[in-house]
Amino acid sequence: MSQNVLVLNCGSSSLKFAIIDATSGAEYLSGLAERLSEQSPQVKINQQGHKNVIKLNAGAQHQKAIEVIVAEIKHRELVSDLIAVGHRVVHGGETFTGSVIIDQDVIKAIEQNQKLAPLHNPANLLGIKIASDAFSDLPQIAVFDTAFHQSMPEHAYLYPLPHTLYQDSGIRRYGFHGTSHYFVSREAAALLNLDIDKANFITAHLGNGCSVTAIKNGQSVDTSMGLTPLEGLVMGTRCGDLDPGIIHYLTSQLDYSSEQVNQLLNKESGLLGISQLSNDCRTIEQAVEIGDKQAELALDIFCYRLAKYIASYLVPLGKLDALIFTGGIGENSSLIREKVVKHLAFLDLTIDESANLAARFGQNGVIASNQNGCRVLVVPTNEEWVIAQDAATLTESI
Ligand code: ADP
């Protein structure tokens, strides 16, 4: 029987989709609806190398995009093979510790968590609603970015703020990128022939958003993102950790509004803010090659702060079996991987330079190791496959 799942990742102005075989991970179709609600929205579709672009009318929104995607899936005679629709949902709060079949209670709970992710959860809910109408015969499954981190202990997830803010308003650390940290840790255990329930890893997901997670005996025990994805590492346009006093300084001394502070910290900081050039790591690396000092500084701060986080996670882990790089930067930037491993000199890791250079464009590999059996790996992530797998497993249970 087919195990094909339609995976939907509905963002505020874009929508990624794919049809994935939950057993093998094979992707039959993938695509992106982008610039939704803008002047020139479009849907890009790639069916096993055959690509086409469908232009939508100006201002077209998610509803129209999903209609086009559904029509394309039907036209390509792929619907009868589908067993479920899997939705990526950003914030599951404390309600969801794993993936679930969507019903009215689940929808209500996602709505209740909306205030924690005001940009993301409404878009995710819209995707769920439109897909439920379009595929009313198929089970709809929600897979949460936060769920994997629900195993964090209290001392890792609580902020040192008045406890009532947690009790009354849910202000705590939740963590994100959970499906990616989960996936690469399982892949790494298989690659290294380790029992995941006994393996200790640090996983660094470095994409436009970046987060690092401490995984003890297969479970997340700490992660760098917090109440929102702004905490932690330097990212493409997000600042990561700061002195919170800066916010008061900006508003009281420099007349920033709360909205302007939010914009500054989320959209104008990180690699872009320091380099004054780009949020894109490739552009920054090219600028470093031709001697751009601000670009070099951006990479130095990025790597130094990442290495400090990795080192700090030896506190909850004690023993480390592997450090794993993933995400667009982690999977491709041999320069950043090398700089980070050099900062971790106390681990006595020896870099295999040719393996480090070779691990890119979807290739995994062991790029460094030490005499205690600790290794550094590159493992390409595949969040869509996790969503397809969870959707297939839950569908079987119905
Ligand atoms: P998202 O978080 O949006 O899923 P990705 O995981 O695709 O993002 O990561 C995007 C980042 O990966 C960008 O900063 C991009 O420059 C970086 N990246 C992609 N390919 C390379 C490469 N060959 N070398 C360095 N950085 C790369």
Side-chain angles (χ1 to χ4, degrees):
M1 194 191 136
S2 148
Q3 289 289 296
N4 291 347
V5 174
L6 172 63
V7 175
L8 287 184
N9 180 353
C10 211
S12 51
S13 64
S14 70
L15 192 170
K16 283 191 204 156
F17 57 96
I19 294 180
I20 293 185
D21 180 332
T23 314
S24 66
E27 198 177 76
Y28 292 114
L29 178 122
S30 64
L32 172 72
E34 58 187 354
R35 304 201 284 265
L36 299 175
S37 310
E38 294 177 22
Q39 264 309 305
S40 49
Q42 58 182 17
V43 179
K44 290 185 193 161
I45 302 183
N46 179 355
Q47 187 172 7
Q48 293 172 313
H50 299 285
K51 298 179 183 174
N52 64 325
V53 177
I54 300 166
K55 304 269 179 212
L56 306 180
N57 290 336
Q61 299 179 340
H62 294 76
Q63 174 86 35
K64 181 67 198 165
I66 293 191
E67 275 167 27
V68 168
I69 294 163
V70 172
E72 283 296 314
I73 293 171
K74 286 189 175 154
H75 173 66
R76 292 160 196 244
E77 297 183 356
L78 295 168
V79 173
S80 60
D81 273 353
L82 293 177
I83 58 162
V85 183
H87 297 266
R88 175 187 179 217
V89 181
V90 168
H91 218 306
E94 288 186 329
T95 327
F96 299 104
T97 56
S99 304
V100 289
I101 298 167
I102 298 171
D103 59 17
Q104 283 312 314
D105 289 342
V106 169
I107 289 179
K108 239 182 255 157
I110 298 173
E111 275 167 3
Q112 275 159 9
N113 286 314
Q114 206 145 282
K115 61 180 181 308
L116 295 169
L119 287 181
H120 293 99
N121 275 25
N124 302 151
L125 275 170
L126 188 61
I128 290 170
K129 192 184 165 317
I130 301 172
S132 306
D133 291 343
F135 299 99
S136 53
D137 294 344
L138 296 179
Q140 310 282 322
I141 312 295
V143 179
F144 299 91
D145 257 25
T146 47
F148 181 56
H149 301 300
Q150 279 296 302
S151 48
M152 283 194 288
E154 246 181 353
H155 61 257
Y157 72 68
L158 284 178
Y159 290 111
L161 289 167
H163 201 55
T164 46
L165 282 174
Y166 167 59
Q167 291 166 317
D168 300 341
S169 306
I171 295 185
R172 52 158 281 183
R173 312 185 58 253
Y174 291 94
F176 298 89
H177 292 146
T179 41
S180 178
H181 292 292
Y182 170 87
F183 179 79
V184 298
S185 59
R186 270 60 191 166
E187 287 284 293
L191 279 168
L192 299 175
N193 219 359
L194 294 172
D195 178 354
I196 185 67
D197 297 329
K198 295 189 185 125
N200 286 6
F201 294 141
I202 296 173
T203 48
H205 176 106
L206 312 175
N208 282 313
C210 301
S211 68
V212 62
T213 295
I215 297 176
K216 187 171 192 172
N217 300 328
Q219 299 213 314
S220 170
V221 291
D222 206 346
T223 192
S224 58
M225 285 178 167
L227 174 76
T228 74
L230 186 54
E231 187 179 345
L233 304 174
V234 177
M235 313 184 206
T237 58
R238 297 186 202 129
C239 58
D241 292 344
L242 287 178
D243 174 357
I246 291 173
I247 294 169
H248 184 246
Y249 189 88
L250 288 169
T251 51
S252 64
Q253 301 295 322
L254 303 181
D255 288 336
Y256 275 71
S257 68
S258 145
E259 213 26 69
Q260 285 170 326
V261 171
N262 202 36
Q263 171 79 10
L264 177 85
L265 305 184
N266 277 292
K267 303 271 188 220
E268 296 162 15
S269 300
L271 291 175
L272 171 68
I274 307 160
S275 70
Q276 299 284 293
L277 176 70
S278 172
N279 61 309
D280 192 301
C281 187
R282 282 165 293 200
T283 311
I284 294 188
E285 287 193 11
Q286 283 157 9
V288 170
E289 267 175 37
I290 56 167
D292 184 320
K293 290 290 167 214
Q294 279 309 115
E296 195 175 333
L297 186 59
L299 281 197
D300 284 347
I301 297 174
F302 182 94
C303 294
Y304 174 68
R305 286 185 167 230
L306 170 57
K308 277 208 302 183
Y309 252 103
I310 292 168
S312 75
Y313 283 168
L314 293 174
V315 172
L317 295 186
K319 154 194 95 111
L320 179 64
D321 293 309
L323 163 65
I324 302 155
F325 285 100
T326 194
I329 297 175
E331 290 169 28
N332 293 295
S333 175
S334 49
L335 176 66
I336 287 186
R337 296 188 302 238
E338 186 184 340
K339 276 173 171 282
V340 172
V341 170
K342 282 190 174 157
H343 276 305
L344 300 170
F346 71 96
L347 286 176
D348 276 332
L349 291 159
T350 306
I351 300 186
D352 177 339
E353 283 180 15
S354 58
N356 187 31
L357 284 173
R360 56 199 309 225
F361 304 135
Q363 289 297 311
N364 60 33
V366 176
I367 61 162
S369 55
N370 73 11
Q371 296 206 324
N372 299 328
C374 173
R375 279 158 288 191
V376 181
L377 267 71
V378 176
V379 178
T381 194
N382 193 337
E383 289 155 285
E384 290 78 14
W385 191 10
V386 176
I387 296 174
Q389 284 173 331
D390 281 9
T393 308
L394 285 166
T395 301
E396 262 167 38
S397 72
I398 296 175

